[in-house]
Amino acid sequence: MIFLFIYITILWILILLGGFILVNIIAKIELKDIYLESLLKGGIAISMSILWIFIMVKIKDIYMRTIK
Amino acid sequence: MLEVITFLISFITTLIFTRYLIRVLKQKGSVVEDYFKPNKPKIPRPGGIAIVIGISIAELTLFILTSNTLVLALLLSVIIAFIIGYIDDKKVMSGYYKPLALLIAALPIILLNAYDYNLDFPIVGSVKIPLLYIPLIFIIMSTFGNTTNSIDVFNGLVSAFMIIVTIPIIIGLIINDKYELLPIAMPLVGSSIAFFVYHKYPSKIFPGDSGALTLGIAYASLAIISELEIIAVIALLPAITNSFFFLSTVKRIVEHRVIKSKPTILLDDYRIAASKDPNAPVTLVRLIVAKKPLYEYQIVNRILSLAVFSSILAIITLLI
């Protein structure tokens, strides 16, 4: 159970961190071509989501190895 | 005042219809085994009919009184989700059916313009995503609906879970001075509480896919209409974690019932233990019983304590 509480807390921190990066860094990117700008911002956001998922999978896998 | 009226309408209607449904579904033989109980008693299903009637009558009354299109958007989305779930209750569909079909439930929100394309991140600010927000609505509707459905595995769990995770949304509406949206939110709470009366351990009725999807889509619609998407995601983290664990081990979208290696096993004394099979999918329940087997009600209490914890994190996020 402690693992699940910690896991949810890490997810919460990652959501807030992701929001901070989106609002303060990615949202401020400005390009002349609005569609290219949207594509770039969307691409960075999706890449970040994939990285977050990778982190969460790794944490879960490490925990699963400890309980086997 | 309107919030009290919508709460009472949904609560009383769901309470009366659930009681009526228990009798009617038993007479019609629409029952399923309660797998985790001695002698495996037959429990009526789907109780989702009572949930959707409770929410719909309350929201329809509100729409007649206010002509607010946000109410209509939520009402239509909820009805679509119920129909999708009811089809799945009556006929076993493929694993892709619910995630794809629930995309239709996003249409009323989009077509009735019941959203704002500013995505609010509490603490850090908001980001305008006019092009990305519509795909995001589809993702939110499908994800919330399916994750809510994924935790409907034990007596009383999904109805109690919804009561707990709606509290941060209600608090968010009050903190953000959106009192006019409180009457739209209250039918979800009223209907969940009324259904919980009969769904709590030991259950007298199961919600079925129609009930779980109705609750999940009502919650998703509310999160979008209230512009509290991130708060809703944080409150829903235990259910999202469950779906995430399952998908990351199974690596495909598939119905639980077709998985050959089950994540948990039922012991002779009716405690639930974690499967020793390394190929069995990882779920929230499997991790909860990983160290020692537990009875059903103990697992429900542990999952609900996670829901309370994630809801507290959501409220902290609102208050910082």
Side-chain angles (χ1 to χ4, degrees):
Chain A
M1 276 303 283
I2 292 168
F3 165 74
L4 288 169
F5 283 109
I6 294 169
Y7 196 84
I8 286 170
T9 309
I10 294 170
L11 273 172
W12 177 58
I13 292 165
L14 285 176
I15 289 169
L16 296 183
L17 183 65
F20 179 82
I21 295 169
L22 269 179
V23 172
N24 292 298
I25 300 168
I26 300 172
K28 289 187 176 155
I29 296 171
E30 279 184 26
L31 296 176
K32 281 180 184 170
D33 187 335
I34 187 170
Y35 290 101
L36 191 66
E37 184 186 306
S38 291
L39 204 67
L40 181 72
K41 286 178 180 176
I44 296 171
I46 291 167
S47 308
M48 212 166 68
S49 305
I50 293 168
L51 178 67
W52 266 215
I53 290 169
F54 180 75
I55 294 168
M56 298 319 293
V57 170
K58 281 289 157 204
I59 295 171
K60 181 210 72 181
D61 288 346
I62 291 166
Y63 178 71
M64 287 307 289
R65 276 199 291 273
T66 64
I67 59 170
K68 269 175 190 169
Chain B
M1 186 62 189
L2 270 177
E3 53 270 22
V4 179
I5 293 171
T6 56
F7 173 83
L8 287 176
I9 291 173
S10 63
F11 179 80
I12 294 165
T13 315
T14 307
L15 203 67
I16 292 167
F17 271 92
T18 308
R19 201 170 164 175
Y20 170 75
L21 261 183
I22 293 171
R23 204 173 61 238
V24 171
L25 290 173
K26 267 186 187 168
Q27 283 169 357
K28 286 189 172 180
S30 183
V31 290
V32 288
E33 279 185 353
D34 191 346
Y35 186 69
F36 301 109
K37 302 276 188 315
N39 304 322
K40 296 184 172 48
K42 306 271 189 199
I43 307 296
R45 194 190 80 141
I49 303 165
I51 296 172
V52 77
I53 288 174
I55 294 177
S56 298
I57 291 178
E59 298 289 359
L60 195 62
T61 308
L62 185 62
F63 181 66
I64 291 165
L65 292 173
T66 63
S67 301
N68 188 345
T69 51
L70 298 179
V71 181
L72 189 63
L74 184 139
L75 175 62
L76 292 174
S77 293
V78 162
I79 292 170
I80 291 170
F82 167 76
I83 294 167
I84 292 165
Y86 192 76
I87 292 168
D88 204 40
D89 281 330
K90 294 291 168 191
K91 194 177 171 190
V92 177
M93 308 296 277
S94 82
Y96 285 96
Y97 166 72
K98 277 178 282 187
L100 291 177
L102 281 179
L103 300 176
I104 305 167
L107 293 177
I109 301 284
I110 295 165
L111 297 174
L112 291 168
N113 212 17
Y115 64 93
D116 184 284
Y117 56 71
N118 283 325
L119 188 61
D120 289 331
F121 281 93
I123 307 170
V124 290
S126 67
V127 57
K128 276 185 187 172
I129 45 168
L131 291 176
L132 289 174
Y133 197 80
I134 289 177
L136 198 62
I137 294 173
F138 285 110
I139 294 169
I140 290 172
M141 297 297 263
S142 186
T143 310
F144 279 33
N146 280 292
T147 51
T148 305
N149 193 35
S150 78
I151 55 152
D152 179 29
V153 284
F154 293 121
N155 287 197
L157 183 53
V158 74
S159 48
F161 193 92
M162 289 317 291
I163 298 165
I164 294 166
V165 300
T166 310
I167 293 168
I169 301 288
I170 306 275
I171 293 173
L173 291 175
I174 294 167
I175 288 175
N176 296 337
D177 287 331
K178 291 182 178 171
Y179 293 99
E180 73 281 5
L181 296 179
L182 279 175
I184 306 177
M186 293 317 282
L188 175 59
V189 185
S191 201
S192 300
I193 295 173
F195 192 75
F196 179 73
V197 172
Y198 296 101
H199 186 218
K200 69 178 190 290
Y201 184 93
S203 286
K204 293 179 179 67
I205 191 166
F206 289 154
D209 289 326
S210 56
L213 292 185
T214 300
L215 292 173
I217 291 300
Y219 188 70
S221 307
L222 189 61
I224 293 167
I225 289 168
S226 322
E227 297 170 47
L228 290 167
E229 305 90 341
I230 303 298
I231 296 301
V233 167
I234 295 169
L236 210 60
L237 277 177
I240 293 171
T241 305
N242 182 47
S243 296
F244 174 71
F245 284 157
F246 183 80
L247 285 173
S248 68
T249 45
V250 176
K251 294 187 172 61
R252 64 197 161 107
I253 297 171
V254 67
E255 277 287 311
H256 285 258
R257 56 178 82 94
V258 300
I259 296 287
K260 283 179 185 162
S261 184
K262 301 292 176 194
T264 55
I265 48 170
L266 187 63
L267 304 178
D268 291 338
D269 61 359
Y270 287 91
R271 281 184 305 158
I272 297 157
S275 167
K276 301 286 178 203
D277 183 351
N279 297 319
V282 177
T283 61
L284 208 56
V285 177
R286 189 179 171 196
L287 287 182
I288 288 170
V289 296
K291 290 194 173 152
K292 67 168 184 174
L294 295 169
Y295 290 105
E296 181 186 8
Y297 72 92
Q298 292 175 310
I299 299 170
V300 171
N301 288 342
R302 278 162 173 76
I303 296 176
L304 292 180
S305 68
L306 288 171
V308 170
F309 179 69
S310 62
S311 294
I312 290 170
L313 291 180
I315 294 166
I316 290 170
T317 313
L318 278 166
L319 294 174
I320 295 175

